[in-house]
Structure formats: structure tokens, C-alpha cells
Amino acid sequence: MSNLRGVGVALVTPFNEDLSVDFDSLTKLVEFNIANGTNYLVVLGTTGESATLSSDEKTAVINHIIKVNSGRLPLVLGIGGNDTMAVKKQIEETDLSAFEAVLSVSPYYNKPNQEGLYQHYKVLAGTGKNIIIYNVPSRTGQNIEAGTTIRLANDFPNLIMVKEAAPNILQYFDILRKKPANFNLVSGDDEFTLPVTLAGGNGVISVIGQAYPKEFSTMVQLAFDGKVKEAYEIHNKLVEITRLIFAEGNPAGIKFVLAEMGIVKNYLRLPLVAASAGLQDKIKTEMSKI
């Protein structure tokens, strides 16, 4: 699906001091990304602290982003979980008319084997909706192996893409080498974005990209154009800030960066807490260099 190409950003959910959703900041964040070259927006991913939003809040966030975006960029919606039939039901009952696809994380905590993972996504494919497989073993406790992803890609055309965030970059390359032509891979790890795109990936669903959309989208476009040296210059400029924002977990780091830029306020919902003073100092120093 070619319009999910380049830099998608996994938007944070900004909060006020009383931890209510800060819709004014959310407007600012969406407008900032649209104005600075982001290619598509991912709503209610992990970075959006979706685990601690009520269903009413999720609906309000979705509707607000649809309204602010006003059809300007493609949208992707996060709907995942570890109860297969409940995820299927939620996908079927959600109005997805404004969305290109659903980003669905692999089942966490249950730790299914590869056959269980295959059967999970087979059921989701049965909804007939465009689904992006999301493999993030650091959060789910279980890796979707390259062979399982390829098998799913070959069997179900509406499983259109994988957001791959395995810690092993060789797994990305195995998928890129063996995947069918109509199936795409995007990096789910900001630091792997450039090598993965150069190897044939479709870009990234990024966290840091929402703070530096111009730089990140330029880097990915240079990679698509085969301008490797110029792309790596931008990559090298952003590597340190990318590592720092994940040092104490996501989205603590990115929320601090965005707060320093005056786009959101630096509040998170428990069990997540704000970045430590030490990390904040390091991030500020790195931001001043960029």
C-alpha cells in the first residue's frame, strides 16, 4: 500500500497537569507534523499510552485527530491485544472509514508459539480490513519469526505490512529478501530506519520522527533516492537523541523533547513516569546540538 510509505509517526497523547487529555497540544502536534513532512499518522499506538486511556478517551482522541487532520495525511489506528476474538470484534465494530489500516501488536503476556501467532493474525485477516502486523518482542515477550511473517504475507493479501521491531536486524533483512511484492516492511526501531529503508524497507513508524519530522522524512526520502551519504549525515546527527529518548522507556523521553519544544506538556500516566532529571539534562544538551 504505497501511501503508507516514508515516515509514519506514532503520536503521543498529551496530558494536562490533572492528567486529562490535552486536546490543544494534540492539535499542535498534528499540525506540526503535517507542516514538516511527516507522511502518515499512527493513532493510539503504544507511544500514545493507549493502555491507560479509557474507551471514551480513545474515541475522543481518534475523533479529534480525524478532525484536525481533515484528510490531509493517511491515518493508521492501533487496535491490538492478547485476546484474539476480542481484538477481532473491536476491529469489526470500529468505524475505520478514516483509516488506511489497523496496526495490531502481536499478543503479549500469553506467549503463543509461532503457530498461535499465525492463527491470531489469520483471524484478524478474516475481518477483511487492512492489517499491519506489529512485532515488538521487547514488549510482548515473544518474537514473530521471519518465517511466520512470510507465511502470513503469502496467505492473506490484506495483511499489508509488518512494523518490525525485533532487536535483530538480520530478521528485517530476511523478511525483505523473502516477502511477496505486495507486502511491505517498515522499521519499528528508529535507529534501524536508514539501513532497513536502504535494504528495501518502506520507511518507519517512528517515535523521534514526531519531534524532528523534517529531518527524519528528508533522511528517508534520501534513502529512497539512493543518496546514501547524505542520508547517513542526517542519521548520524539524530542517533544520540534517538538513543536518549528510549533510555528510560517510551514515551517518557519523547514527551520531554516535545515539551522542550513547546508542543506538549511533560505529563505521563502511571505506571509511566517522567524522564529523570539526569536524562532531561542529557536530552537538553543533545537538542542544543541538533
Side-chain angles (χ1 to χ4, degrees):
M1 190 170 231
S2 60
N3 47 354
L4 296 181
R5 190 168 187 267
V7 176
V9 297
L11 295 168
V12 302
T13 303
F15 298 122
N16 294 301
E17 193 173 359
D18 65 0
L19 297 185
S20 61
V21 176
D22 178 359
F23 290 102
D24 291 343
S25 293
L26 188 55
T27 300
K28 252 193 264 187
L29 181 63
V30 171
E31 290 291 0
F32 175 69
N33 275 272
I34 292 172
N36 286 286
T38 292
N39 300 107
Y40 59 100
L41 304 173
V42 179
V43 182
L44 296 183
T46 315
T47 306
E49 293 175 75
S50 53
T52 57
L53 294 175
S54 71
S55 57
D56 285 351
E57 286 173 327
K58 286 180 183 177
T59 302
V61 167
I62 289 166
N63 290 340
H64 188 79
I65 292 171
I66 290 170
K67 186 177 158 201
V68 174
N69 180 55
S70 188
R72 289 178 287 175
L73 293 185
L75 300 175
V76 170
L77 180 62
I79 302 177
N82 62 344
D83 175 348
T84 303
M85 300 322 284
V87 177
K88 174 179 182 272
K89 186 168 186 274
Q90 196 182 342
I91 291 170
E92 286 172 341
E93 291 178 354
T94 301
D95 177 4
L96 296 171
S97 56
F99 294 92
E100 297 284 332
V102 167
L103 175 68
S104 198
V105 69
S106 71
Y108 40 82
Y109 191 73
N110 312 31
K111 294 190 84 168
N113 63 14
Q114 295 304 304
E115 184 59 28
L117 291 167
Y118 175 88
Q119 294 296 335
H120 172 82
Y121 281 106
K122 178 182 178 179
V123 167
L124 301 194
T127 63
K129 306 296 183 187
N130 287 333
I131 309 283
I132 300 168
I133 299 165
Y134 181 16
N135 182 37
V136 57
S138 64
R139 286 187 180 273
T140 63
Q142 191 69 302
N143 180 40
I144 306 175
E145 293 169 8
T148 304
T149 300
I150 297 301
R151 187 179 162 207
L152 286 164
N154 281 318
D155 290 353
F156 308 104
N158 62 314
L159 297 178
I160 59 168
M161 189 154 81
V162 61
K163 178 187 177 187
E164 183 57 68
N168 176 9
I169 200 164
L170 300 182
Q171 181 161 303
Y172 295 64
F173 296 153
D174 283 346
I175 295 167
L176 287 169
R177 205 172 72 244
K178 298 172 183 174
K179 71 177 185 65
N182 62 342
F183 183 82
N184 294 314
L185 177 147
V186 290
S187 179
D189 183 320
D190 284 344
E191 198 172 336
F192 287 176
T193 301
L194 184 52
V196 167
T197 303
L198 289 169
N202 239 38
V204 63
I205 291 177
S206 174
V207 176
I208 193 65
Q210 68 198 298
Y212 295 100
K214 198 168 276 180
E215 292 86 344
F216 229 70
S217 56
T218 301
M219 178 187 77
V220 169
Q221 191 54 54
L222 287 167
F224 288 148
D225 295 341
K227 295 179 177 169
V228 179
K229 185 170 171 286
E230 297 94 321
Y232 265 108
E233 281 169 12
I234 299 174
H235 167 88
N236 290 334
K237 191 168 83 166
L238 294 174
V239 162
E240 287 304 327
I241 192 85
T242 300
R243 289 180 184 173
L244 286 171
I245 66 160
F246 294 111
E248 292 179 2
N250 183 39
I254 189 63
K255 277 200 162 174
F256 179 70
V257 172
L258 291 166
E260 283 295 292
M261 291 177 165
I263 298 170
V264 310
K265 304 181 190 98
N266 190 27
Y267 299 111
L268 293 91
R269 284 185 177 175
L270 288 169
L272 300 180
V273 294
S276 65
L279 180 59
Q280 290 187 15
D281 287 342
K282 287 179 187 168
I283 288 174
K284 274 192 220 174
T285 302
E286 194 55 36
M287 285 178 76
S288 68
K289 294 180 195 169
I290 298 169

